[in-house]
Coordinates of all heavy atoms in Angstrom, one line a residue:
G995 N 93.6 131.2 -55.4 CA 94.9 131.2 -55.8 C 95.3 129.9 -56.6 O 94.4 129.1 -56.9
V996 N 96.5 129.7 -56.8 CA 97.0 128.5 -57.6 C 98.1 127.8 -56.7 O 98.7 128.4 -55.8 CB 97.6 129.0 -59.0 CG1 96.5 129.6 -59.8 CG2 98.8 130.0 -58.8
D997 N 98.3 126.6 -57.1 CA 99.3 125.8 -56.3 C 100.7 126.4 -56.2 O 101.3 126.3 -55.2 CB 99.4 124.4 -56.9 CG 98.1 123.5 -56.7 OD1 97.3 123.9 -55.9 OD2 98.0 122.6 -57.5
A998 N 101.1 127.1 -57.3 CA 102.4 127.7 -57.3 C 102.5 128.8 -56.2 O 103.6 129.0 -55.7 CB 102.7 128.3 -58.6
D999 N 101.4 129.4 -55.7 CA 101.5 130.3 -54.7 C 102.0 129.7 -53.4 O 102.8 130.3 -52.7 CB 100.1 130.9 -54.4 CG 99.5 131.8 -55.5 OD1 100.3 132.2 -56.4 OD2 98.3 132.0 -55.6
V1000 N 101.5 128.5 -53.1 CA 101.9 127.9 -51.8 C 103.4 127.6 -51.7 O 104.0 127.8 -50.7 CB 101.1 126.6 -51.6 CG1 101.5 125.9 -50.3 CG2 99.6 126.9 -51.6
A1001 N 104.0 127.2 -52.8 CA 105.4 127.0 -52.8 C 106.2 128.2 -52.6 O 107.4 128.1 -52.1 CB 105.8 126.4 -54.2
R1002 N 105.7 129.4 -52.8 CA 106.4 130.6 -52.6 C 106.0 131.3 -51.3 O 106.2 132.5 -51.1 CB 106.2 131.5 -53.8 CG 107.0 131.1 -55.0 CD 108.5 131.1 -54.8 NE 109.3 130.8 -56.0 CZ 109.7 131.7 -56.9 NH1 109.5 132.9 -56.7 NH2 110.4 131.3 -57.9
C1003 N 105.5 130.6 -50.3 CA 105.1 131.2 -49.0 C 106.1 130.6 -48.0 O 106.5 129.4 -48.0 CB 103.7 130.8 -48.6 SG 102.4 131.6 -49.5
E1004 N 106.4 131.4 -47.0 CA 107.2 131.0 -45.8 C 106.4 129.8 -45.2 O 105.2 129.8 -45.1 CB 107.2 132.1 -44.8 CG 108.0 131.8 -43.6 CD 107.9 132.9 -42.6 OE1 107.4 134.0 -42.9 OE2 108.5 132.7 -41.5
D1005 N 107.1 128.7 -44.9 CA 106.5 127.5 -44.3 C 105.6 126.8 -45.3 O 104.7 126.1 -44.8 CB 105.8 127.8 -43.0 CG 106.7 128.5 -42.0 OD1 107.8 128.1 -41.8 OD2 106.2 129.5 -41.4
S1006 N 105.7 127.1 -46.5 CA 104.8 126.6 -47.5 C 103.3 127.0 -47.2 O 102.4 126.3 -47.5 CB 104.9 125.0 -47.7 OG 106.2 124.7 -48.1
G1007 N 103.2 128.1 -46.6 CA 101.9 128.7 -46.4 C 101.1 128.2 -45.2 O 100.0 128.7 -44.9
V1008 N 101.7 127.3 -44.4 CA 101.0 126.7 -43.3 C 101.9 126.6 -42.1 O 103.0 126.0 -42.2 CB 100.4 125.3 -43.6 CG1 99.6 124.8 -42.4 CG2 99.6 125.3 -44.8
V1009 N 101.5 127.2 -40.9 CA 102.3 127.0 -39.7 C 101.7 125.8 -39.0 O 100.5 125.7 -38.7 CB 102.2 128.2 -38.8 CG1 103.0 128.0 -37.5 CG2 102.7 129.4 -39.5
A1010 N 102.5 124.8 -38.7 CA 102.0 123.5 -38.1 C 101.7 123.8 -36.6 O 102.0 124.8 -36.0 CB 103.1 122.5 -38.2
D1011 N 101.0 122.8 -36.1 CA 100.7 122.7 -34.7 C 99.7 123.8 -34.2 O 99.8 124.3 -33.0 CB 102.0 122.8 -33.8 CG 102.9 121.6 -34.2 OD1 102.4 120.5 -34.4 OD2 104.1 121.9 -34.2
A1012 N 98.9 124.3 -35.0 CA 97.8 125.2 -34.6 C 96.9 124.5 -33.5 O 96.5 123.4 -33.8 CB 97.0 125.7 -35.8
D1013 N 96.7 125.2 -32.4 CA 95.9 124.6 -31.3 C 94.6 125.5 -31.2 O 94.6 126.6 -30.6 CB 96.7 124.6 -30.0 CG 95.9 124.1 -28.9 OD1 94.7 123.6 -29.1 OD2 96.4 124.1 -27.7
L1014 N 93.5 125.0 -31.8 CA 92.3 125.7 -31.8 C 91.7 125.8 -30.4 O 90.8 126.7 -30.2 CB 91.3 125.2 -32.8 CG 91.5 125.8 -34.2 CD1 92.9 125.5 -34.8 CD2 90.5 125.3 -35.2
T1015 N 92.0 124.9 -29.5 CA 91.5 125.0 -28.2 C 92.0 126.2 -27.4 O 91.5 126.7 -26.4 CB 91.8 123.7 -27.3 OG1 93.2 123.6 -27.1 CG2 91.3 122.5 -28.1
A1016 N 93.2 126.8 -27.9 CA 93.8 127.9 -27.3 C 93.3 129.2 -27.9 O 93.8 130.3 -27.5 CB 95.3 127.8 -27.4
V1017 N 92.4 129.2 -28.9 CA 91.8 130.3 -29.5 C 90.4 130.6 -28.9 O 89.6 129.8 -29.0 CB 91.7 130.1 -31.1 CG1 91.1 131.4 -31.7 CG2 93.1 129.9 -31.7
S1018 N 90.3 131.7 -28.3 CA 89.0 132.0 -27.6 C 87.9 132.2 -28.6 O 88.0 132.5 -29.8 CB 89.2 133.3 -26.7 OG 89.3 134.4 -27.5
D1019 N 86.7 132.1 -28.1 CA 85.5 132.3 -28.9 C 85.4 133.8 -29.4 O 85.0 134.0 -30.5 CB 84.2 132.0 -28.1 CG 84.0 130.5 -27.8 OD1 84.6 129.7 -28.5 OD2 83.2 130.2 -26.9
R1020 N 85.9 134.7 -28.5 CA 85.9 136.1 -28.9 C 86.9 136.3 -30.1 O 86.6 137.1 -31.0 CB 86.3 136.9 -27.7 CG 86.5 138.4 -28.0 CD 85.2 139.0 -28.6 NE 85.4 140.5 -28.8 CZ 84.7 141.1 -29.7 NH1 83.8 140.5 -30.5 NH2 84.9 142.4 -29.9
A1021 N 88.0 135.6 -30.1 CA 89.0 135.8 -31.2 C 88.4 135.2 -32.5 O 88.5 135.9 -33.5 CB 90.3 135.0 -30.8
R1022 N 87.7 134.1 -32.4 CA 87.1 133.5 -33.6 C 86.0 134.4 -34.1 O 85.9 134.6 -35.3 CB 86.5 132.1 -33.2 CG 87.6 131.1 -32.9 CD 86.9 129.8 -32.5 NE 86.2 129.1 -33.6 CZ 86.7 128.1 -34.3 NH1 87.9 127.6 -34.0 NH2 86.0 127.6 -35.2
Q1023 N 85.2 135.0 -33.2 CA 84.2 135.9 -33.6 C 84.7 137.1 -34.3 O 84.2 137.6 -35.4 CB 83.4 136.4 -32.3 CG 82.2 137.3 -32.6 CD 81.6 137.8 -31.3 OE1 82.2 138.0 -30.3 NE2 80.2 137.9 -31.3
R1024 N 85.8 137.7 -33.8 CA 86.4 138.9 -34.4 C 87.0 138.5 -35.8 O 87.0 139.4 -36.7 CB 87.5 139.4 -33.5 CG 87.0 140.1 -32.2 CD 88.1 140.7 -31.4 NE 88.6 141.9 -32.1 CZ 89.6 142.7 -31.6 NH1 90.1 142.4 -30.5 NH2 90.0 143.7 -32.3
G1025 N 87.5 137.3 -36.0 CA 88.1 137.0 -37.3 C 87.1 136.5 -38.3 O 87.5 136.4 -39.5
F1026 N 85.9 136.1 -37.9 CA 85.0 135.4 -38.9 C 84.7 136.2 -40.1 O 84.7 135.6 -41.2 CB 83.7 135.0 -38.2 CG 82.8 134.1 -39.0 CD1 83.1 132.8 -39.0 CD2 81.8 134.7 -39.7 CE1 82.2 131.9 -39.8 CE2 81.0 133.9 -40.5 CZ 81.2 132.5 -40.5
S1027 N 84.6 137.5 -40.0 CA 84.1 138.3 -41.2 C 85.2 139.2 -41.7 O 84.9 140.2 -42.4 CB 82.9 139.1 -40.7 OG 81.8 138.3 -40.3
Q1028 N 86.5 138.9 -41.5 CA 87.5 139.8 -41.9 C 88.5 139.1 -42.8 O 89.6 139.7 -43.1 CB 88.3 140.4 -40.7 CG 87.4 141.3 -39.8 CD 88.2 141.9 -38.7 OE1 89.1 141.4 -38.2 NE2 87.8 143.2 -38.3
V1029 N 88.3 137.9 -43.3 CA 89.2 137.2 -44.2 C 89.3 137.9 -45.5 O 88.3 137.9 -46.3 CB 88.9 135.8 -44.3 CG1 90.0 135.0 -45.0 CG2 88.6 135.1 -42.9
G1030 N 90.5 138.4 -45.9 CA 90.6 139.1 -47.2 C 90.3 140.5 -47.0 O 89.5 141.1 -47.7
S1031 N 91.0 141.2 -46.1 CA 90.8 142.6 -45.9 C 92.1 143.2 -45.4 O 92.9 142.6 -44.7 CB 89.7 142.9 -44.8 OG 90.0 142.3 -43.6
L1032 N 92.4 144.5 -45.7 CA 93.6 145.2 -45.4 C 93.7 145.6 -43.9 O 94.7 145.5 -43.3 CB 93.8 146.4 -46.2 CG 94.4 146.2 -47.6 CD1 94.5 147.6 -48.3 CD2 95.7 145.5 -47.6
G1033 N 92.6 146.0 -43.4 CA 92.6 146.7 -42.1 C 93.0 148.1 -42.2 O 92.9 148.7 -43.3
S1034 N 93.6 148.7 -41.1 CA 93.9 150.1 -41.1 C 95.4 150.3 -40.7 O 96.2 149.3 -40.8 CB 93.0 150.8 -40.1 OG 93.1 150.2 -38.8
G1035 N 95.7 151.5 -40.2 CA 97.1 151.7 -39.7 C 98.0 151.8 -40.9 O 97.8 152.4 -41.9
N1036 N 99.2 151.1 -40.8 CA 100.2 151.1 -41.8 C 100.0 150.0 -42.9 O 100.9 149.9 -43.7 CB 101.6 151.0 -41.2 CG 101.8 149.7 -40.5 OD1 100.9 148.9 -40.2 ND2 103.1 149.4 -40.3
H1037 N 98.9 149.3 -42.8 CA 98.6 148.3 -43.8 C 98.3 149.0 -45.2 O 97.6 150.0 -45.2 CB 97.5 147.4 -43.4 CG 97.9 146.6 -42.1 ND1 96.9 146.2 -41.2 CD2 99.1 146.2 -41.6 CE1 97.5 145.5 -40.3 NE2 98.9 145.6 -40.5
F1038 N 98.6 148.3 -46.3 CA 98.4 148.9 -47.6 C 98.5 147.8 -48.7 O 98.9 146.7 -48.5 CB 99.5 150.0 -47.9 CG 100.9 149.4 -48.0 CD1 101.3 148.9 -49.2 CD2 101.7 149.4 -46.9 CE1 102.6 148.3 -49.3 CE2 103.0 148.8 -47.0 CZ 103.4 148.3 -48.3
L1039 N 98.0 148.3 -49.8 CA 98.2 147.5 -51.1 C 98.8 148.6 -52.0 O 98.2 149.6 -52.2 CB 96.9 146.9 -51.5 CG 97.0 146.0 -52.8 CD1 95.8 145.0 -52.8 CD2 96.9 146.8 -54.1
E1040 N 99.9 148.3 -52.7 CA 100.5 149.3 -53.5 C 100.9 148.7 -54.9 O 101.5 147.6 -55.0 CB 101.8 149.8 -52.8 CG 102.4 151.1 -53.4 CD 103.4 151.7 -52.5 OE1 102.9 152.5 -51.6 OE2 104.6 151.6 -52.7
V1041 N 100.5 149.4 -55.9 CA 100.9 149.1 -57.3 C 102.3 149.8 -57.5 O 102.4 151.0 -57.3 CB 99.9 149.5 -58.3 CG1 100.4 149.2 -59.7 CG2 98.5 148.9 -58.0
Q1042 N 103.3 149.0 -57.9 CA 104.6 149.6 -58.0 C 105.3 149.2 -59.3 O 104.8 148.3 -60.1 CB 105.5 149.0 -56.9 CG 104.9 149.2 -55.5 CD 105.6 148.4 -54.4 OE1 106.1 147.3 -54.7 NE2 105.7 148.9 -53.2
V1043 N 106.4 149.9 -59.6 CA 107.2 149.5 -60.8 C 108.6 149.3 -60.3 O 109.1 150.0 -59.5 CB 107.1 150.6 -61.9 CG1 107.6 152.0 -61.4 CG2 107.8 150.2 -63.1
V1044 N 109.3 148.3 -60.9 CA 110.7 148.1 -60.6 C 111.5 149.2 -61.2 O 111.6 149.3 -62.4 CB 111.1 146.7 -61.2 CG1 112.6 146.5 -60.8 CG2 110.3 145.6 -60.6
D1045 N 112.0 150.1 -60.4 CA 112.7 151.3 -60.8 C 114.2 151.1 -61.0 O 114.8 151.8 -61.9 CB 112.5 152.3 -59.7 CG 112.9 153.7 -60.1 OD1 112.4 154.2 -61.2 OD2 113.6 154.4 -59.3
E1046 N 114.8 150.2 -60.3 CA 116.2 149.9 -60.5 C 116.5 148.5 -60.0 O 116.0 148.0 -59.0 CB 117.0 150.9 -59.6 CG 118.5 150.8 -59.8 CD 119.3 151.9 -59.1 OE1 118.7 152.6 -58.3 OE2 120.5 151.9 -59.2
I1047 N 117.4 147.8 -60.8 CA 117.9 146.5 -60.4 C 119.3 146.7 -59.9 O 120.2 147.4 -60.5 CB 118.0 145.6 -61.7 CG1 116.6 145.3 -62.2 CG2 118.7 144.3 -61.3 CD1 115.7 144.6 -61.3
L1048 N 119.5 146.2 -58.6 CA 120.8 146.4 -57.9 C 121.6 145.1 -57.9 O 122.8 145.2 -57.5 CB 120.5 146.9 -56.5 CG 119.7 148.2 -56.5 CD1 119.1 148.4 -55.1 CD2 120.5 149.4 -56.9
D1049 N 121.0 144.0 -58.2 CA 121.8 142.7 -58.2 C 121.2 141.9 -59.4 O 120.1 141.3 -59.2 CB 121.6 142.0 -56.9 CG 122.5 140.7 -56.8 OD1 122.6 140.0 -57.8 OD2 123.1 140.5 -55.8
D1050 N 121.8 141.9 -60.5 CA 121.3 141.3 -61.7 C 121.0 139.8 -61.6 O 120.0 139.3 -62.0 CB 122.2 141.5 -62.9 CG 122.3 143.0 -63.4 OD1 121.2 143.7 -63.2 OD2 123.3 143.4 -63.9
M1051 N 122.0 139.1 -61.0 CA 121.8 137.7 -60.9 C 120.6 137.3 -60.0 O 119.8 136.4 -60.4 CB 123.1 137.1 -60.3 CG 123.2 135.5 -60.3 SD 122.4 134.8 -58.8 CE 123.7 135.2 -57.6

Side-chain angles (χ1 to χ4, degrees):
V996 295
D997 291 342
D999 292 341
V1000 177
R1002 287 298 185 92
C1003 288
E1004 180 184 358
D1005 306 312
S1006 297
V1008 184
V1009 180
D1011 301 323
D1013 181 2
L1014 272 61
T1015 66
V1017 179
S1018 68
D1019 290 342
R1020 175 59 179 152
R1022 294 174 68 102
Q1023 181 185 38
R1024 292 185 67 179
F1026 187 81
S1027 301
Q1028 293 184 329
V1029 188
S1031 61
L1032 277 182
S1034 57
N1036 65 343
H1037 297 153
F1038 66 84
L1039 185 153
E1040 195 165 278
V1041 180
Q1042 302 167 331
V1043 60
V1044 179
D1045 192 49
E1046 185 177 3
I1047 297 295
L1048 302 164
D1049 187 317
D1050 291 330
M1051 187 273 289

